[in-house]
Amino acid sequence: MRFYIMTLVSVIVVLTIKSYTTTAQDRPVNDIELEKLTQYELINKADTIRHRKMISRFVNNLVTDSCVTGKFMQQGVLPNPDFDCYERLERTATTEELKELVSHENPVMRAYAINAIATRDIELNTSLLNALIYDSAEVLIVDGLYGKQVRISDLAAAKLF
């Protein structure tokens, strides 16, 4: 009888832990917690999954843009939510994630990744630098009322060299 009770208790404990882990992964992502965690090594698998979800959410927001935007919209009056998304990506993305974003299919995302890499002073290997130098895609960079068309190779040369 004692064996059956101990087995029942251990099954209940395992199911409780599994339920907690599953609900922890499905809850809304608290960016502030994860920004603090990315300064250190991520603690467990649930935190890593939450981190990936957060980064993919930032990337999806930035990929939908047709241009690279600055901090303010119009004449510096309204803060730009897309730039806020970029700043959060810059703070929370790991070095490896930013290096992957440099070779993203969307040129706007590549431009944001180049800016983040330049800001955080991350060294790129020669194959990534060569790919950026020969990248002829063009993006529109808009900051307030000022806008200009720039090739990715020119942006990389200006920011990374």
Side-chain angles (χ1 to χ4, degrees), residues 36-85:
K36 290 179 182 175
L37 284 174
T38 55
Q39 295 172 359
Y40 312 103
E41 291 185 23
L42 297 178
I43 295 173
N44 58 28
K45 183 179 178 184
D47 291 332
T48 304
I49 291 171
R50 289 173 51 214
H51 176 76
R52 287 186 189 146
K53 284 182 181 180
M54 180 180 66
I55 294 299
S56 67
R57 187 180 76 222
F58 293 152
V59 169
N60 290 337
N61 285 344
L62 293 173
V63 165
T64 58
D65 289 344
S66 59
C67 61
V68 178
T69 56
K71 188 166 183 140
F72 296 105
M73 295 170 43
Q74 297 173 357
Q75 295 178 337
V77 178
L78 301 172
N80 190 350
D82 295 329
F83 191 78
D84 182 50
C85 189

Side-chain angles (χ1 to χ4, degrees), residues 129-130 133 153 156-161:
L129 287 173
N130 286 336
I133 293 300
S153 59
K159 298 275 184 173
L160 300 177
F161 293 106

Side-chain angles (χ1 to χ4, degrees), residues 51-52 54-60 62-63 85-86 88-117 120 122 124 128 132 135 152:
H51 176 76
R52 287 186 189 146
M54 180 180 66
I55 294 299
S56 67
R57 187 180 76 222
F58 293 152
V59 169
N60 290 337
L62 293 173
V63 165
C85 189
Y86 156 73
R88 294 168 84 185
L89 176 73
E90 178 190 316
R91 282 192 309 266
T92 60
T94 62
T95 302
E96 292 79 23
E97 289 168 334
L98 287 176
K99 287 180 181 180
E100 287 176 13
L101 290 176
V102 165
S103 56
H104 195 273
E105 63 189 29
N106 189 331
V108 172
M109 190 66 242
R110 290 194 303 265
Y112 278 121
I114 289 169
N115 287 336
I117 285 172
R120 288 179 49 184
I122 296 172
L124 294 179
L128 282 176
L132 288 173
D135 192 349
I152 294 292

